[in-house]
Amino acid sequence: MSDVQSLNHSRWECKYHMTWIPKYRRKSLYDGLRKYLGDVLRVLARQKECEILEGHLMENHVRMFVLVPPKYAVSQVIGYLKGKSVIHIARVYMGQKRNYKGQHFWVRGYHKKITLILFLAL
């Protein structure tokens, strides 16, 4: 139970296995983005008080094992990771200063598998 986190009135351990894909299953994760996207996703996860325990940037999808605090919905965390990462990709690697409407990198939605949820009252 060393991974158990705590808030004011509870202890928790919520781990999720998440997967999402780029639009049209583009192989663009292998081009030049793969080596930088992992660091970007880790920084964004820390901003939402999440921790990426394990992550794989595959040829055409992203697979992560994430520790998410119960005060955030999983969909909120995924939306934040996908939204902010695509802004970073557009600005740094595609040379755009703004996001133009109609340009999408990630597909809507994700796959989530609940691995472990543990709540203990203090």
Side-chain angles (χ1 to χ4, degrees):
M1 277 209 190
S2 62
D3 292 338
V4 176
Q5 306 283 327
S6 65
L7 294 171
N8 287 336
H9 301 288
S10 63
R11 292 181 181 220
W12 59 273
E13 185 176 3
C14 302
K15 296 180 180 178
Y16 299 93
H17 177 251
M18 302 177 207
T19 307
W20 69 87
I21 60 173
K23 194 87 165 181
Y24 310 116
R25 289 239 182 206
R26 286 183 256 186
K27 309 282 187 208
S28 55
L29 290 180
Y30 263 132
D31 294 344
L33 298 176
R34 186 169 185 244
K35 51 187 158 182
Y36 305 111
L37 197 54
D39 295 331
V40 170
L41 290 173
R42 277 190 197 89
V43 168
L44 292 173
R46 270 188 246 126
Q47 290 176 0
K48 281 289 187 183
E49 302 173 26
C50 299
E51 181 183 354
I52 298 176
L53 302 173
E54 188 176 340
H56 299 285
L57 295 169
M58 306 304 247
E59 183 176 326
N60 58 1
H61 66 279
V62 175
R63 180 174 288 175
M64 295 189 321
F65 191 56
V66 184
L67 185 69
V68 179
K71 68 181 186 176
Y72 294 113
V74 178
S75 60
Q76 182 183 13
V77 172
I78 291 295
Y80 183 80
L81 291 175
K82 287 171 65 175
K84 296 298 182 182
S85 67
V86 79
I87 290 171
H88 183 77
I89 289 169
R91 288 185 182 162
V92 175
Y93 302 108
M94 295 181 183
Q96 297 176 355
K97 294 184 180 179
R98 295 177 26 159
N99 288 343
Y100 298 104
K101 189 174 181 180
Q103 293 183 347
H104 303 283
F105 187 78
W106 302 117
V107 170
R108 290 179 59 193
Y110 61 95
H111 175 263
K112 167 187 74 171
K113 179 180 176 186
I114 300 173
T115 303
L116 174 66
I117 295 183
L118 172 67
F119 286 102
L120 303 171
L122 291 177

